[in-house]
């Protein structure tokens, strides 16, 4: 339904040596062919999927109580998530890449590259879980595949303490890209209040040198597991593999040359609009090249 | 002569010639020629002189003849010449492009010219012309070396051609055109010959570039001859693009463009003025329709030719042609045709115009047609306004007009959209001031789509009654970790549990729901149409997002006049027949000397209503004078006429004259206003008559009239009227009354803008036509007294604050108006239940087309259900809600409604399937929705009669909601994808 998702992810990966995206190219072969319609997996229907709408200003009609609109709940949810995803693309967050999973639009795979600071050279894979009553539920969760040594990351589950930044998730104000942005920020500005990992917090306060060496160890650990199989068995999971020119050279080339053209997805609908309006005039046929007529 | 050559049987001779050495050929040729010369000289009147007679002194029509040439001698010459021509044709050019020996001999001896003179000497019959033409055609087309570079060959050719001009015999014409076509092909391959043609023609004095002039008469010819002529002309046209001289010659010395353009007029006049409409559903001319009308085929051929010429020709020719088409066809022919007297004629013309617009592809020509539609005024009314007003005509004219607008909107033309809708939205007066920032807002959570879908009538809810046939294929939103190979997984429930991370993050729970699969198709279609539209609109001049163009800069009125040019045009039209004849008015004495001539003229025609430019400082900004005839006027009148007509039955063919419409409008208005007046305040003692433009009278509530004797401003009066009516509405809120109220407001506004209302706010005393003459003096007095008491600017402030005239720079305290087109569409949509299926298909199709436009102003107006509009502005959502209510009422009262719905759904799906099957060739549509809109005679209804419009409307309404919701959803994604540049 929305091929641009993959393409967008691909096209944003223009950093240095970035992950080989399993999902980008090889996935097209690997992933089972999807039917155009009907096979898209969506999360369950929220029990109260009826979007909360502002009271109709015109007072014409209240939404009918027959529940018709509830059957479209999955569509609303999917499009809300698509909208979130386009927002992420638009933000062009430095060093962050995400991709919704094949199985559920509510689960996004991601990876973050830390380019300087204490966590420099860290490559941390993570998964974002979005509640199924989005956007009216809690804030999304972000869980690192390997628990990074960090005051705000749970040393066991790897979950980032997102809630401290989004005490209440507000529709229209909070967006998933902000969560991703927040995940990046914690590696550059360390906060130790109410830590999920007290050890890390204490060390940071009392013995920065030891903290630093622990961080270096943690980064090494994470990077040593980089080529592991993805935790989740999902065609769109992000996986890394060592550089193999036979596989990657071509992909890299395409990545760097690829420009998304607007008409890529729909060939055959060759249309071009018409305009003889001189900019700023708001008058029809005001352009200079309009032929003189009576 | 040359018959064998001409019969195109080169096999024999050429076979013979293969391998024969050139010297032998030369000897044979010379031999033949000496034999021919003997005969020629025997009959030469100037025998003995070695010089040839100058051809120019020969009288071509009847050359001097010295006795008949004996038959045997003539046939001898013919035989020799045949052989000679073969030899010439087969000769290869010499080294380095030099002439071959035979050609050199032909040139030296002036063979061709002498042969031509010989044929003139004899009876120059059509048969002989034919033979000579064929001879040259062979030479031009098949010679192995370039022959036309040589004057001794070219000159007799030109002579022959000019001798054929004006000839009537069909075979000669056919052969002539064939030769001309052949010559043009040679020219196109070798433009250097062009110069020679010019020079050689100059020798003849009269006509330059004979080839071209000879082709012109065949431009509009039907059949092969016409096609060949047009092909040949096109070759010359593309030559002209590179050759300034040719272009200049054609544009300045030939009648090519006038002939082409006026030819269109001629062909148009032979089109049937009324078509036999196949069915009541019929609304536009498809190919299979127009192929049956030969004159229409011919017209389209010529139109396509114009299109092609404009595409390839030099800009000078292009501009000239376009201008002639405008002045020679559109204005004098098509405009009156669009205003014929009977419905059928007007309907036919409208269908023609629609077909023409679909035929033309070249932007320049399209621009000509569009500027005619958008800017030209016929009898002082813009064509566009007339066309818009006809949408509201009952019967088939309304349907045909809708089809025309579907074509117009499908052009993605900024100028069209600007005039139809956007200029009414730019000022942002249709929404509350605080809402302007909402215009560009993104509907992240499909709120609008949800609200639209929530209007689904309960009788059509998929929950209650699953739709029939294909729509039963519902999608299963299963959360299972099913593999796509597992096709039966739809019935399975598998919980997808993440067991790895141990954090208990499970975003998946087994659950399923059945959905109408057609919604996916609507989403797909929406995606396609929006992305095409976004792409097409990249050439537009502004984003129309509520900021650019800035609303403050383009308040109502500013955009109403499309420039001074047409302003002047309109002046020229001022005194065209008018039911209310403009009468001369003594120049207003109070006018300051600074007033311009135009404004004086304006005054003249408008009942001594003075323009108070003297008080210009009163206004912060002096906009252009209001339009002579506000576009809304006619449209509104007709609209109301329809409402009236729907009450009282009127035979279709009785409904032939516009006058009747006006009459009905007037009656209706009177009735309405009186009812309003009665309801609102019985204390008002009377009513006054206000002249309408068509000479009929409109009764106005005296509350408005009362203002006339005060020195109050018109603006104030308008406001009073509004408030007065508003109170009424508040007191007795009913849909009908509300509608009447809106109607009245618009009518008042309309008239105010057009006739009495002056920007600086004085109010003219209304008079009935009968009173006019007597009242002239008095009026003059009135005027002076009013102008003396022109109000202070602050008085113009409406007590309603932003509601009326927010930001309207004091010029026009009008009720917000989203334009006649939108209002007419919405008002027809509101009557969905009584519309025919075809009308509803067109209406919903047009609205869906409009909704796909990416401009935030338009998108927010049509699709954003959260936008708060001004009370007088009706939104699409409101209208849809009204229709839903009607449907609910309907279905509640009828027990058989669900069955009928199912029958209609089956019928529509069957129709769609048959259309899909029959439609593969010309289908540009992609999905269900588009196919549903396809139109052609539907199969015979089975269980349900098409008369049950309310049932079909209900089904269509439900589908339309899905379509709109899908468009709204796709907008929330597509319009925000960052484009990489």
């Amino acid at each position: 339904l929305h091929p641009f998702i993959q393409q967008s992810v691909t096209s944003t990966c223009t950093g240095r040596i970035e992950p080989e995206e399993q999902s980008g190219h090889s996935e097209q072969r690997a992933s089972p062919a999807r039917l155009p319609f009907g096979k898209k997996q969506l999360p369950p229907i929220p029990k109260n999927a009826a979007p909360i709408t502002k009271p109709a200003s015109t007072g014409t009609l209240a939404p009918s109580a027959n529940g018709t609109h509830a059957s479209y709940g999955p569509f609303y949810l999917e499009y809300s998530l698509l909208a979130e995803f386009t927002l992420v693309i638009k933000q062009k967050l430095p060093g962050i890449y995400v991709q919704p999973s094949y199985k559920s639009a509510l689960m996004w795979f991601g990876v973050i590259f830390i380019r300087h600071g204490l966590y420099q050279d860290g490559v941390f894979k993570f998964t974002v879980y979005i509640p199924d009553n989005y956007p009216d539920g809690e804030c999304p969760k972000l869980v690192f595949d390997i628990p990074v040594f960090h005051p705000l990351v749970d040393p066991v589950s790897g979950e980032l303490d997102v809630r401290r930044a989004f005490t209440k998730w507000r529709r229209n104000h909070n967006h998933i890209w902000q969560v991703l942005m927040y995940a990046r920020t914690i590696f550059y500005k360390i906060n130790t209040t109410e830590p999920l990992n007290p050890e890390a917090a204490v060390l940071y306060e009392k013995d920065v040198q030891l903290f630093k060496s622990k961080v270096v160890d943690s980064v090494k650990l994470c990077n040593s597991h980089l080529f592991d199989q993805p935790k989740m068995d999902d065609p769109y999971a992000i996986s890394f593999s060592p550089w193999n020119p036979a596989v990657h050279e071509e992909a890299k080339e395409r990545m760097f040359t690829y420009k998304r053209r607007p008409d890529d997805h729909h060939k055959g609908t060759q249309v071009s609009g018409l305009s003889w309006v001189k900019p700023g005039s708001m008058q029809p046929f005001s352009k200079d090249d309009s032929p003189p007529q009576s | 002569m040359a018959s064998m050559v001409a019969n195109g049987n080169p096999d024999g001779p050429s076979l013979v010639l293969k391998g024969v050495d050139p010297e032998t050929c030369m000897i044979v040729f010379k031999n033949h020629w000496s034999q021919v010369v003997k005969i020629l000289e025997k009959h030469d009147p100037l025998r003995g002189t070695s010089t040839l007679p100058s051809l120019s002194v020969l009288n071509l029509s009847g050359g001097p003849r010295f006795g008949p040439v004996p038959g045997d001698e003539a046939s001898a010459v013919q035989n020799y010449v045949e052989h000679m021509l073969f030899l010439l044709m087969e000769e290869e050019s010499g080294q380095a492009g030099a002439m071959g020996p035979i050609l050199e001999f032909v040139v030296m001896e002036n063979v061709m010219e002498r042969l031509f003179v010989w044929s003139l000497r004899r009876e120059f019959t059509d048969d002989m012309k034919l033979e000579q033409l064929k001879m040259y055609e062979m030479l031009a087309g098949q010679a192995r070396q370039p022959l036309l570079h040589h004057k001794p060959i070219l000159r007799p050719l030109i002579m022959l051609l000019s001798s054929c001009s004006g000839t009537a015999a069909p075979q000669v014409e056919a052969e002539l055109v064939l030769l001309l076509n052949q010559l043009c092909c040679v020219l196109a391959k070798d433009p250097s010959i062009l110069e020679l043609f010019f020079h050689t023609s100059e020798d003849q004095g009269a006509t330059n570039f004979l080839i071209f002039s000879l082709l012109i008469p065949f431009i509009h010819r039907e059949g092969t001859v016409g096609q060949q002529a047009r092909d040949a002309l096109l070759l010359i046209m593309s030559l002209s693009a590179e050759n300034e001289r040719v272009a200049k010659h054609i544009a300045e010395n030939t009648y090519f463009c006038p002939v082409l353009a006026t030819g269109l007029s001629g062909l148009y006049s032979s089109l049937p003025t009324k078509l036999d409409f196949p069915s009541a559903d019929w609304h536009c001319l498809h190919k299979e329709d127009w192929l049956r009308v030969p004159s229409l085929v011919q017209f389209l051929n010529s139109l396509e030719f114009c299109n092609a010429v404009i595409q390839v020709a030099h800009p000078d020719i292009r501009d000239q042609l376009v201008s002639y088409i405008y002045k020679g066809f559109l204005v004098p022919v098509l405009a009156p045709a669009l205003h014929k007297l009977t419905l059928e004629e007007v309907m036919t013309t409208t269908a023609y115009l629609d077909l023409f617009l679909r035929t033309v592809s070249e932007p320049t020509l399209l621009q000509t047609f569009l500027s005619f539609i958008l800017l030209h005024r016929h009898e002082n009314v813009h064509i566009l306004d007339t066309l818009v007003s006809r949408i509201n005509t009952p019967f088939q004219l309304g349907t045909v007009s809708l089809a025309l607008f579907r074509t117009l909107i499908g052009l993605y033309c900024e100028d069209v959209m600007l005039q139809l809708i956007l200029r009414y939205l730019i000022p942002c007066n249709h929404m509350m001031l605080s809402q302007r920032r909402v215009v560009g807002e993104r509907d992240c959570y499909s709120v609008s789509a949800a609200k639209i879908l929530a209007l689904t009538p309960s009788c059509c809810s998929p929950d209650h009654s699953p739709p029939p046939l294909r729509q039963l294929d519902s999608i299963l939103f299963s959360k299972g970790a099913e593999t796509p190979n597992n096709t039966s997984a739809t019935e399975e429930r598998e919980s997808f549990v993440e067991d790895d991370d141990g954090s208990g993050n499970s975003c998946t729970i087994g659950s399923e729901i059945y959905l109408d699969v057609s919604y996916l198709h609507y989403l797909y279609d929406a995606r396609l149409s929006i992305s095409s539209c976004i792409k097409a609109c990249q050439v537009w001049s502004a984003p129309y997002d509520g900021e650019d163009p800035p609303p403050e800069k383009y308040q109502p009125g500013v955009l109403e006049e499309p420039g001074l040019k047409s302003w002047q045009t309109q002046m020229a039209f001022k005194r065209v027949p008018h039911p209310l004849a403009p009468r001369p008015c003594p120049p207003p004495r109070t006018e300051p000397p600074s007033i311009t001539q135009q404004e004086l003229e304006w005054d003249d025609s408008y009942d001594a209503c003075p323009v108070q430019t003297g008080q210009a400082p009163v206004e912060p900004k002096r906009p252009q004078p209001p339009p002579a005839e506000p576009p809304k006027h006619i449209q509104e009148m007709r609209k109301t006429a329809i409402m009236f007509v729907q009450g009282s039955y009127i035979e279709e063919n009785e409904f032939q004259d516009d006058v009747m419409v006006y009459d009905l409008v007037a009656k209706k208005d009177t009735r309405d206003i009186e009812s309003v007046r009665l309801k609102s305040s019985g204390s008002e003692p009377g009513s006054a008559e206000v002249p309408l433009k068509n000479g009929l009278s409109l009764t106005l509530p005296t509350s408005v009239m009362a203002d006339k004797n005060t020195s109050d401003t018109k603006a104030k009066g308008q406001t009073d009227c509004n408030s007065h009516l508003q109170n009424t509405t508040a007191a007795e809120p009913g849909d009908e009354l509300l509608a009447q109220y809106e109607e009245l407001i618009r009518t008042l506004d309309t008239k105010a803008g057009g006739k009495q209302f002056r920007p600086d706010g004085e109010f003219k005393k209304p008079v009935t036509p009968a009173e006019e003459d007597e009242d002239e003096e008095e009026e003059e007095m009135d005027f002076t007294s009013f102008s003396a008491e022109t109000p202070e600017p602050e008085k113009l402030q409406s007590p309603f604050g932003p509601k009326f005239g927010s930001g309207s720079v004091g010029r026009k305290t009008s009720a917000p108006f989203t334009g006649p087109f939108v209002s007419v569409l919405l008002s027809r949509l509101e009557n969905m239940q009584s519309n025919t299926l075809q009308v509803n298909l067109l209406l919903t199709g047009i609205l869906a087309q409009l909704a796909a436009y990416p401009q935030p102003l338009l998108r927010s107006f049509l699709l954003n259900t959260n936008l708060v509009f001004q009370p007088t502005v009706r939104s699409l959502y409101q209208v849809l809600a009204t229709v839903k209510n009607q449907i609910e009422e309907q279905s509640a009262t009828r027990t058989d409604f669900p069955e009928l719905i199912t029958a209609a759904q089956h019928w529509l799906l069957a129709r769609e399937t048959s259309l899909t099957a029959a439609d593969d060739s010309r289908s540009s549509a992609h999905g269900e929705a588009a196919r549903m809109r396809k139109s052609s005679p539907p199969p015979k209804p089975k269980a349900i009669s098409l008369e049950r419009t309310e049932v079909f409307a209900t089904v269509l309404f439900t589908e339309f909601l899905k379509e709109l919701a899908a468009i709204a959803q796709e907008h929330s994604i597509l319009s925000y994808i960052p484009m990489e540049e």
Side-chain angles (χ1 to χ4, degrees), chain A residues 251-265:
Chain A
K252 182 183 167 191
E253 206 146 290
R254 267 196 285 163
M255 231 188 262
F256 279 86
T257 54
Y258 187 72
K259 284 268 180 263
R260 203 167 65 82
R261 279 158 306 185
D263 55 338
D264 256 6
H265 328 296

Side-chain angles (χ1 to χ4, degrees), chain B residues 261-481:
Chain B
T262 52
L264 283 182
S265 301
L267 291 174
Y268 186 88
S269 67
S270 61
L271 296 184
T273 53
K274 294 175 190 177
L275 288 171
D276 287 331
F277 305 108
S279 73
D281 252 4
W282 181 89
H283 61 278
C284 80
L285 284 162
H286 288 303
K287 194 170 183 182
E288 55 267 28
D289 297 329
W290 58 257
L291 277 177
R292 285 198 291 265
V293 187
S295 55
L296 197 47
V297 173
Q298 209 188 332
F299 182 91
L300 290 180
N301 280 341
S302 288
L303 186 61
E304 268 166 14
F305 179 63
C306 291
N307 193 62
V309 168
I310 287 165
Q311 197 167 25
V312 298
H314 189 272
D316 287 353
I317 299 174
R318 185 191 67 198
D319 292 347
Q320 199 187 38
L321 177 57
V322 151
S323 154
Y324 274 111
I325 289 176
Y326 191 87
K327 291 178 199 155
F329 169 59
L330 294 175
V331 171
V333 176
L334 204 56
L338 280 169
H339 293 81
K340 288 249 180 80
L341 280 184
T342 67
L343 267 184
E344 287 91 342
E345 284 173 310
V346 168
M347 195 155 78
T348 305
T349 314
T350 309
Y352 287 153
L353 179 57
D354 174 53
L355 176 62
F356 300 161
L357 285 172
R358 284 184 284 123
T359 306
V360 168
S361 66
E362 187 58 23
T364 315
L365 187 53
L366 212 45
Q367 181 196 20
T368 311
F369 272 83
L370 292 177
S371 71
F372 165 73
I373 294 172
L374 299 187
L375 299 184
H376 178 66
R377 286 160 175 263
H378 184 80
E379 312 222 322
N380 227 1
V381 182
H382 282 117
I383 299 282
L384 184 71
D385 298 324
T386 307
L387 293 174
V388 167
S389 73
R390 287 181 182 155
I391 294 176
N392 231 346
T393 323
F395 326 122
Q396 217 162 340
L397 176 58
T399 325
V400 175
S401 302
L402 277 174
L404 172 67
F405 278 96
R406 183 183 58 184
T407 302
L408 281 173
I409 289 166
L411 293 173
Y412 304 118
C413 173
E414 181 175 11
D415 308 61
V416 170
M417 293 300 287
L418 184 65
Q419 290 300 91
L420 272 183
I421 302 172
L422 289 171
R423 65 178 174 143
Y424 301 99
L425 301 182
I426 290 170
C428 287
N429 289 338
H430 59 290
M431 62 184 91
M432 294 297 189
L433 197 58
S434 61
Q435 295 289 303
R436 289 196 188 173
R437 58 182 175 79
V438 183
V439 166
E441 227 168 57
R442 173 181 187 170
D443 182 12
C444 270
Y445 310 116
S446 304
V447 174
S448 293
K451 275 188 92 173
I452 291 169
L453 283 170
L455 294 177
T456 306
S458 50
C459 55
C460 291
S461 160
D463 299 346
H464 291 214
S465 55
L469 303 183
R470 173 181 33 239
Q471 297 189 354
L472 280 175
D473 299 336
S474 298
I475 349 152
L476 181 64
F477 278 84
S478 129
K479 285 309 295 179

Side-chain angles (χ1 to χ4, degrees), chain A residues 228-251:
Chain A
D228 290 2
Q229 280 301 302
K231 273 179 88 178
M232 231 68 76
D233 179 26
D234 188 289
Y236 289 178
I238 297 176
S239 77
F240 288 78
S241 63
W243 181 258
N244 174 358
V247 176
H248 299 127
E249 196 66 65
E250 192 204 337

Side-chain angles (χ1 to χ4, degrees), chain B residues 536-557:
Chain B
C537 293
Q538 280 169 352
V539 299
W540 284 25
S541 75
Y544 299 94
D545 54 3
E547 288 165 23
D548 178 16
E552 297 73 24
K553 202 174 154 195
Y554 299 102
Q555 284 303 305

Side-chain angles (χ1 to χ4, degrees), chain A residues 1-4 8 11-12 32-34 37-45 47 51-58 60-61 63-64 66-72 74-76 78-80 82-84 86-87 89-90 92 102-107 129-130 132 134-135 141 143 156-157 159 169-175 231-232 258-260 262-263 265-266 269-287 289-294, chain B residues 319 322-323 326-327 363 366-368 370-371 374-375 411-415 418-419 426 442 444-447 449-451 453-458 461-464 475-482 484 487 490 496 498 500-501 503 505 507-509 511 513 515-516 519-521 523-524 527-528 531-532 535-536 538-542 544 549 553-554 558-559 561-563 565 569 866-868 877-878 881 884-885 926 962 969-970 972-973 976-980:
Chain A
L1 201 56
H2 279 278
F4 70 85
S8 307
S11 59
T12 47
R34 288 207 284 169
F37 299 127
K39 290 295 170 187
K40 184 81 179 170
Q41 311 277 302
L42 269 193
I45 306 312
K47 299 294 172 287
I52 298 155
T53 54
K54 290 178 199 166
S57 53
T58 49
T60 339
L61 270 183
S64 68
N66 62 16
T68 303
H69 49 315
S71 12
Y72 294 94
F75 290 111
Y76 306 148
E78 169 145 352
Y79 272 77
S80 301
L82 279 170
E84 287 293 346
T86 57
L87 279 174
I89 297 170
K90 210 173 173 184
K92 294 190 166 59
Y102 174 80
K103 293 197 179 89
S104 167
L106 289 173
M107 183 165 68
Y129 298 95
I130 301 153
D132 61 10
Y134 186 85
K141 286 184 188 176
V143 181
V156 181
S157 70
E159 180 172 353
W169 189 262
R170 294 183 301 158
R171 51 156 52 209
N172 281 318
H173 287 91
N174 293 132
H175 294 289
K231 273 179 88 178
M232 231 68 76
Y258 187 72
K259 284 268 180 263
R260 203 167 65 82
D263 55 338
H265 328 296
H266 30 83
T269 54
Q270 199 58 37
V271 276
S272 102
L274 300 164
S275 171
W276 295 278
V277 179
K278 188 176 167 188
S281 76
M282 292 305 112
Q283 295 292 337
F285 308 106
S286 47
K287 262 188 189 166
D289 60 347
S290 301
Q293 260 144 25
S294 57
Chain B
D319 292 347
V322 151
S323 154
Y326 191 87
K327 291 178 199 155
L366 212 45
Q367 181 196 20
T368 311
L370 292 177
S371 71
L374 299 187
L375 299 184
L411 293 173
Y412 304 118
C413 173
E414 181 175 11
D415 308 61
L418 184 65
Q419 290 300 91
I426 290 170
R442 173 181 187 170
C444 270
Y445 310 116
S446 304
V447 174
K451 275 188 92 173
L453 283 170
L455 294 177
T456 306
S458 50
S461 160
D463 299 346
H464 291 214
I475 349 152
L476 181 64
F477 278 84
S478 129
K479 285 309 295 179
E482 64 180 86
T487 45
T490 41
F496 178 72
E498 287 111 48
D500 284 348
D501 56 16
S503 63
N505 291 314
C507 61
T508 53
I509 306 148
S511 165
I513 189 167
L515 275 171
D516 189 351
Y519 192 65
L520 284 172
H521 294 272
L523 286 169
Y524 183 69
R527 181 175 184 76
L528 287 176
S531 29
S532 319
K535 185 169 167 264
Q538 280 169 352
V539 299
W540 284 25
S541 75
Y544 299 94
K553 202 174 154 195
Y554 299 102
V558 177
L559 293 176
E561 266 314 304
K565 244 193 320 189
T569 322
N866 281 342
L867 204 61
V868 186
Y877 181 74
Q878 280 174 309
K884 178 209 159 68
N885 280 345
H926 311 276
K962 284 193 255 177
Q969 285 205 291
E970 279 295 342
S972 73
I973 308 296
Y976 299 89
I977 298 172
M979 295 281 175
E980 277 179 29

